[in-house]
Structure formats: C-alpha cells, structure tokens
Amino acid sequence: MARIVKDCPRGSLYPLPDGVPGELFTAADGSLWDSSNCSVVHHGLDTVRQLYNCLPDFLVFSRIQAAYDRGYGESIEIDEMEWVVSHGGKSGYKCKLHQDDLGVIVFLGSAFTESKYNGPHLKIQCSPVFLLSRSADEISRHLDAIARLFVDQLVASGVAVHLCADVQGYIPPSDLDARITTRAHRVYKASGISAMEFDGNDIVINYGKSQSFTFGKAGSVQFACYDKLKAVKDKGELPLWMPVWSQCDELDEDSPIWRFEARFHHQVIHQFARGSGFVANSLADLIPHFTGLWRYALNNFRLDDSKTYINPFWQWLRDDLCFEHHQKLDIDYQRNYKAASADGLPNDRSVSICFGQLCSIYRKRKLTFAKASQCLVNSGLFDLLCDMYRRRGKTEDDVMVLLAEKIEALH
C-alpha cells in the first residue's frame, strides 16, 4: 500500500481570496516551487469506450456479415456513412467497423452470447477526432445515436475513460519509474525508439533518454506520462493537436509538451460507483466524477520528494486541475459520402457490392450455375464487372469462376 505523505505548504506573493490556494509551494528541501511557471495547454477526455447491453439489428448484422464475406477492406453504408468491416480479433466481439472520418470504432456481436439473445453485444470506442469536437454531454448523446444504428433494446452497461492533461514548463525526472509511489506491480518505460516490459516488483529497463512511462495494467487503473509533442510529430497528428494547444494563451510552440494520462477500465469505474454510491453506466453518468477520478489516479500513482512530502508539481497537478470536458475543435458531425466517378460510372466497391447482392439473391432462389450466369450476363452489371476485372489483370472467366464458387457454396 502506498505510504501516507504530507502536502507541501502553499502560499502566494499576492493577497488571495479565502479558499484560493497560492502558487508557491514549499518543497521537502525547503526550496520554493512556483506553479505559475507551468501551463496546462489542454486537459479533458482522450479516449472513451462505451458498452451497451442490447439486441443486434439482424438486418444490419446480415449486411455486415455479407460485407465481411466479400473480403478484407469491404464496407457497408449505414446512415449515409461508409463503415469499413473487419474481424473483431481478440476484442471479444465478432466484428469491428471503422468510421475514420468520424473517429469511431464499433465492436458488434458478443463472441460469448448468441446474437438472438439480448446481451453485451456493443462497444463504441472514440478517438480524439471525435472527442475534441464535442462536449462531454454531446459525446454521450452521439454515442447513443450511433449505437441505435446497429442495435435495438439499448441499455448503457459500462464506460471506460482516459483523462489527460498536457503540460508545458515541467519535464518529469528520468528516474520517474523509481520514484513513483504506487501499488502497481507493472512498470513500462520506453525511450521513444525501444521498449521493454516486465511483471514483478516494479522492475524496469532503462534505455536511452526516457520519453514514456506507463504504470499499472490496462484492465485496472493505469497511469502514463510521455512526451506528447514528440508522439504527435511522429504520428503526423500536429494539424489536429496544434489548434487545440493554441487555444491556451501561454503556449510556447518551441517547448516540450508532456502528457499525464489516467486510464480507467470500465470494471474499475463500476467499483468506484459501488463504493461511492453513484451510477456509472454511461459517460453522462460519469461527468460529475471526472475530477475525483483524476485526483484518485494521482494519489494512486504519486511522485514523492521524500518519505514525508509529496512533489509540489504532482500536488499542483492533482489539486488545481478540474475536469469539465469542453468542445475544443469546431468540427462538424461528419459523414463520408461516396463520390461518383468522373465519368458517372459507379466505383469498383459499388460494383462489388451489387455483385455480392445478386449472388445472394441467386442463392436464395437456388438457381443453377447455368441459370445464374445467364441472369448475370443480362443484368446490366456484367460489363462493369468485366471492366473491373480487366483493370486488375483478370478476365471474364474469373468473374464466372467467382460466381460458381458463390452459387455452389450454398448448394
């Protein structure tokens, strides 16, 4: 268990109203630390994962399955948005749908509950693209609206959140991993170009100049701090984040920006709710508790200057930051419409989708291959299919081979 330490005494060079903390902290060694030298250039939600109990919409689910059967990278159009379909992998869900322009991933169909029964069939994960353009209330409402595109009998059943603060004017010590007081037995430390990970009693490998630290496990409470400016540049995300940081009048574009991030698994959120007597099934439920969760995380993963006193920066970051996630970017609720080709003809994906739908009809009618091939040739789609296949170095015979495979697979 983390030991109990004292807070640093606080004061100010200027008269302050009652109850307003000062900017000066007296550290364990007697020196003064001035919090006004630090700036929080952004803070709020970085990730949201909303879970639902529900009943899958079988019509939508069958369309998703048909798209998946057509092969990797196929998509379907739902509510005039194009969703790329893939396998759910190790997520515990049968399929995954990306809408990258919107900044949302939908996991659909529990691998442990049959689709015909109501159960935990839906999880929606949001990226910063989605979160930065909405307030917390708007995020919650939009998540429910997206969920209704895929399922019925919708009930929010849990939420996981990542809370973050981007700070200038402070760089963590290179031995942060050794100095953090925590209950966690997993520490992850990276240099930006290499990383190693161990389970044990706070075992860590030092490699180069430390640019990333992660404490705790993903299935519990996890805390991370890393060079966000470097990470953003490496990923090519500067056009997204610079407008966010520039809203802070104190931004110095030439100085490092370090992110401090608290990550809460949905099971941990449920534990807090039961222990503290509140409901936390949806993001809307959790909004009043963001600040409390943040302070818990910084107490649970705490930088101490001595056995008696906390580090003044850590105390300031814990106590002076209040989380009320606001809209940071003026981005519309985007829809990715399919664009017609320059000559007015449908694109290859549209042709493939129509071919798949025709094959599905032929199968349901139990047509023979001879009859199905005759219907296809006379459908008006055959010439488009042949053009598409020729561009891919194939022939008309390949179209018929694929038709035969789809027809015979059902008989």
Side-chain angles (χ1 to χ4, degrees):
M1 179 176 292
R3 63 179 180 269
I4 298 175
V5 297
K6 297 179 181 178
D7 288 346
C8 299
R10 300 183 63 166
S12 178
L13 295 175
Y14 314 99
L16 295 172
D18 291 342
V20 176
E23 75 280 2
L24 298 178
F25 294 72
T26 304
D29 61 1
S31 63
L32 290 179
W33 182 79
D34 189 349
S35 63
S36 61
N37 293 327
C38 290
S39 300
V40 177
V41 296
H42 164 70
H43 69 287
L45 291 166
D46 182 67
T47 300
V48 173
R49 298 185 182 97
Q50 179 65 62
L51 283 69
Y52 296 95
N53 283 337
C54 53
L55 185 67
D57 184 315
F58 293 110
L59 179 60
V60 173
F61 201 87
S62 63
R63 291 179 59 205
I64 293 171
Q65 186 62 51
Y68 178 76
D69 290 343
R70 289 195 298 271
Y72 178 79
E74 289 296 324
S75 65
I76 64 169
E77 186 175 310
I78 299 176
D79 193 37
E80 299 183 322
M81 290 184 289
E82 191 171 323
W83 298 81
V84 178
V85 179
S86 60
H87 191 270
K90 297 181 180 180
S91 66
Y93 294 85
K94 296 175 182 176
C95 59
K96 178 170 65 174
L97 297 96
H98 285 260
Q99 221 302 326
D100 292 335
D101 291 329
L102 187 59
V104 165
I105 302 175
V106 172
F107 296 88
L108 185 63
S110 172
F112 310 105
T113 304
E114 290 188 48
S115 299
K116 62 182 179 180
Y117 298 120
N118 195 306
H121 290 296
L122 181 64
K123 178 172 73 173
I124 304 178
Q125 179 172 314
C126 312
S127 74
V129 171
F130 184 86
L131 300 173
L132 290 170
S133 58
R134 295 161 177 83
S135 68
D137 285 324
E138 290 171 336
I139 292 167
S140 187
R141 291 197 300 271
H142 282 147
L143 289 178
D144 288 349
I146 293 170
R148 292 188 184 97
L149 300 176
F150 299 91
V151 300
D152 298 315
Q153 301 179 16
L154 189 70
V155 178
S157 60
V159 61
V161 296
H162 294 185
L163 301 171
C164 69
D166 296 339
V167 179
Q168 277 193 325
Y170 178 83
I171 297 177
S174 59
D175 61 345
L176 180 68
D177 53 303
R179 293 179 55 186
I180 284 283
T181 301
T182 176
R183 299 184 180 92
H185 293 292
R186 170 172 288 189
V187 178
Y188 174 89
K189 185 178 182 180
S191 68
I193 58 173
S194 180
M196 292 188 180
E197 183 175 357
F198 290 84
D199 278 323
N201 295 319
D202 293 340
I203 299 175
V204 66
I205 294 296
N206 296 334
Y207 186 87
K209 182 179 178 182
S210 300
Q211 294 168 338
S212 176
F213 302 87
T214 303
F215 306 89
K217 297 182 179 181
S220 182
V221 183
Q222 196 173 61
F223 191 83
C225 53
Y226 54 95
D227 188 337
K228 181 64 176 178
L229 184 57
K230 181 183 185 306
V232 164
K233 289 180 177 178
D234 289 347
K235 295 178 181 179
E237 295 179 346
L238 204 57
L240 171 67
W241 283 101
M242 190 53 69
V244 175
W245 294 332
S246 297
Q247 295 180 29
C248 175
D249 294 336
E250 300 173 0
L251 175 69
D252 181 353
E253 295 186 9
D254 298 322
S255 296
I257 299 175
W258 273 78
R259 167 159 292 189
F260 299 84
E261 187 171 319
R263 303 165 181 169
F264 297 88
H265 191 266
H266 69 272
Q267 295 289 4
V268 174
I269 298 297
H270 280 312
Q271 292 167 4
F272 277 116
R274 288 194 300 268
S276 304
F278 63 88
V279 175
N281 292 325
S282 70
L283 183 65
D285 296 333
L286 204 59
I287 292 172
H289 307 286
F290 287 163
T291 301
L293 291 172
W294 175 256
R295 291 176 180 172
Y296 173 88
L298 268 76
N299 272 326
N300 199 55
F301 303 95
R302 194 181 63 237
L303 177 60
D304 295 335
D305 275 355
S306 70
K307 293 182 178 180
T308 308
Y309 286 99
I310 190 174
N311 175 268
F313 166 79
W314 214 259
Q315 180 181 340
W316 169 76
L317 192 65
R318 179 196 66 189
D319 293 346
D320 288 24
L321 207 57
C322 293
F323 277 82
E324 298 176 358
H325 181 88
H326 298 297
Q327 177 182 341
K328 297 295 178 68
L329 293 177
D330 187 15
I331 299 176
D332 291 334
Y333 189 69
Q334 300 179 36
R335 291 181 171 183
N336 184 20
Y337 294 95
K338 294 183 180 179
S341 60
D343 55 7
L345 296 175
N347 57 35
D348 287 356
R349 178 166 287 168
S350 298
V351 172
S352 296
I353 291 172
C354 289
F355 180 46
Q357 295 293 335
L358 276 179
C359 290
S360 177
I361 293 171
Y362 298 158
R363 289 199 304 261
K364 290 177 181 178
R365 293 180 60 187
K366 298 183 179 180
L367 300 185
T368 63
F369 170 69
K371 181 63 175 176
S373 59
Q374 181 183 359
C375 291
L376 177 63
V377 169
N378 296 325
S379 68
L381 185 68
F382 186 66
D383 290 340
L384 294 172
L385 274 170
C386 292
D387 289 341
M388 182 180 74
Y389 270 59
R390 279 192 288 268
R391 288 195 299 271
R392 298 177 179 181
K394 299 182 179 181
T395 67
E396 298 177 4
D397 290 339
D398 293 304
V399 177
M400 290 303 180
V401 169
L402 183 56
L403 174 64
E405 291 175 353
K406 290 179 175 292
I407 294 297
E408 293 170 5
L410 213 81
H411 295 320

